[in-house]
Structures are given as structure tokens and as C-alpha cells.
Amino acid sequence: DQQVKQNSPSLSVQEGRISILNCDYTNSMFDYFLWYKKYPAEGPTFLISISSIKDKNEDGRFTVFLNKSAKHLSLHIVPSQPGDSAVYFCAASGGSKLTFGTGTRLQVTL
Amino acid sequence: DAGVIQSPRHEVTEMGQEVTLRCKPISGHNSLFWYRQTMMRGLELLIYFNNNVPIDDSGMPEDRFSAKMPNASFSTLKIQPSEPRDSAVYFCASSLYAGGPFRNEQFFGPGTRLTVL
């Protein structure tokens, strides 16, 4: 049973536009959420996180939004750049372990 | 710092053979994690260690899998005997435990791609 779901396996966005990656979770005990980015043949790297006491966290071009009532979070990338092309994993923690989604492959086109 | 080091990067073996994956965490980190990545299930936590002690191995799929951390700078994940369904990319990650191992950034190694024929 996937407790963290990324229902879009892939997304294509034009350079300069906004990329929105979505993530849904089912476990109400999750209280900390992270996004990781992964390039081919490399391990995932941490991108941004958010605690459940917040509904938004921003870091440069990256913003994560959390809607606890909907058990939904999203990652916004503005503006999108070709170097952002990668697989993005959403992860959630309730303190005991980190549960990852299956990832969304983002392709930023010229 | 060289980051988390994993070896080998690729492993091809035949069903029934023993496979050992190795990991060197970042110096100074006291939490170490083993993950498995598959298309169907994404990244799954197999086991994690804190200060070389296994804390949670509930993600280890079955008794064929075992992990050790004999010291702060080395860990192994062993599969014996290996089966085709074990084919996946295995990642090792480390972090600095500060109030909870899942509140801090985890640094991942490049992974070992395992193929069991």
C-alpha cells in the first residue's frame, strides 16, 4: 500500500514556465515532508522540506506547499530551467521512517 | 568530502549466488540507511543504523537479506541466495542524527545496480 503517491510519472514543461509536481499521502501521522531530486546514475539529493506546522516553504526558485486537510503537497519550480530535468521524489516522515513516492520525471524543454 | 561511497556500481550475478553491497558513509555522520529502488515501489527503506546499531530492519524483505555495520565508516548489505526479483538499484545514505534521523537531510550514494539472472 503506497502511503505516498505521485500519480504523474512524467511531466514536460517549457523553459521559463512553472513546473508543478504533486504528491498525495494517506497517513495522517506524517508531519514532515521532503523533496529529493535525482539525476540518472546518481543518488537522490535533498531539495527542500516542510514541517506540518507550515503551509509553505520557499527556497529560491523552489516552493513547497502543504495542504494538510487534503493530505496533499506540491513543489513549484519557477522559472523552470533545462537543468531542472530530473526525477523528483516526494518523501514523508512521521518520525519512525521516511516513506518515498515513486517519483515524477520532469523534462524541461527549450 | 567524497560523499557517500558505494561499491560495486553494477553487479550482475546468477540466481542463487551471494551478493554483497558495500557502503562508506560521510565521515562524522552517525545514521546510515539502506534503500532499494524499483519502478513499482519507488524508494523503500530496508534498514537503518544509528551509531552502528540497527534500529529498524522492518523493511528488509526476508531472511535472505542481512545488513551489518561493524564500524562508523563501513556497512554491508548481503543477499544470500539472490533471486531475480531482487534486481533493483540499492542506495546507501547517511545523515547526522539530531533529534530524529528523519528530520535531517540524507546524503545518498550513487547506488548499486543489481541484476540477478
Side-chain angles (χ1 to χ4, degrees):
Chain A
D1 178 34
Q2 280 289 114
Q3 296 188 60
V4 178
K5 300 178 184 178
Q6 295 178 257
N7 292 319
S8 298
S10 63
L11 175 68
S12 184
V13 173
Q14 205 167 22
E15 182 181 12
R17 303 272 190 166
I18 183 171
S19 294
I20 300 176
L21 295 96
N22 294 303
C23 178
D24 297 293
Y25 62 96
T26 57
N27 190 338
S28 58
M29 297 301 291
F30 288 149
D31 62 356
Y32 196 74
F33 304 88
L34 308 90
W35 284 93
Y36 278 78
K37 175 180 176 180
K38 184 184 180 303
Y39 291 119
E42 295 182 11
T45 55
F46 171 76
L47 192 56
I48 192 169
S49 63
I50 188 167
S51 166
S52 61
I53 62 173
K54 295 185 175 181
D55 55 15
K56 176 183 173 181
N57 188 27
E58 190 172 351
D59 184 2
R61 297 185 298 113
F62 302 91
T63 302
V64 55
F65 295 91
L66 176 61
N67 182 334
K68 283 179 292 184
S69 61
K71 294 191 177 67
H72 177 84
L73 65 155
S74 60
L75 174 68
H76 293 211
I77 306 174
V78 184
S80 300
Q81 299 174 355
D84 296 330
S85 297
V87 177
Y88 290 79
F89 289 97
C90 169
S93 169
S96 60
K97 65 187 291 184
L98 203 56
T99 302
F100 283 84
T102 51
T104 295
R105 182 178 301 278
L106 173 65
Q107 181 72 40
V108 180
T109 59
L110 298 174
Chain B
D1 199 317
V4 176
I5 299 173
Q6 290 187 248
S7 65
R9 293 294 307 273
H10 302 273
E11 177 79 33
V12 179
T13 190
E14 292 187 346
M15 183 173 63
Q17 296 297 306
E18 177 180 297
V19 174
T20 299
L21 311 181
R22 297 173 176 79
C23 174
K24 177 179 168 53
I26 292 173
S27 177
H29 282 185
N30 54 9
S31 291
L32 183 138
F33 312 83
W34 282 101
Y35 289 90
R36 178 171 67 176
Q37 183 189 8
T38 61
M39 290 293 291
M40 291 299 295
R41 300 178 68 86
L43 275 165
E44 300 175 276
L45 178 67
L46 300 177
I47 184 171
Y48 85 89
F49 296 83
N50 189 43
N51 292 324
N52 313 337
V53 176
I55 303 300
D56 184 353
D57 65 354
S58 60
M60 297 286 261
E62 46 197 278
D63 292 344
R64 297 184 296 106
F65 286 70
S66 62
K68 293 182 180 179
M69 192 165 186
N71 58 61
S73 59
F74 184 66
S75 177
T76 59
L77 177 67
K78 186 178 292 186
I79 308 173
Q80 165 64 18
S82 58
E83 296 182 2
R85 60 191 168 122
D86 301 330
S87 298
V89 181
Y90 291 81
F91 289 101
C92 174
S94 70
S95 73
L96 188 60
Y97 185 107
F102 299 102
R103 295 290 186 268
N104 306 302
E105 178 183 352
Q106 294 182 18
F107 295 81
F108 283 76
T112 296
R113 181 173 295 277
L114 173 65
T115 302
V116 183
L117 303 174

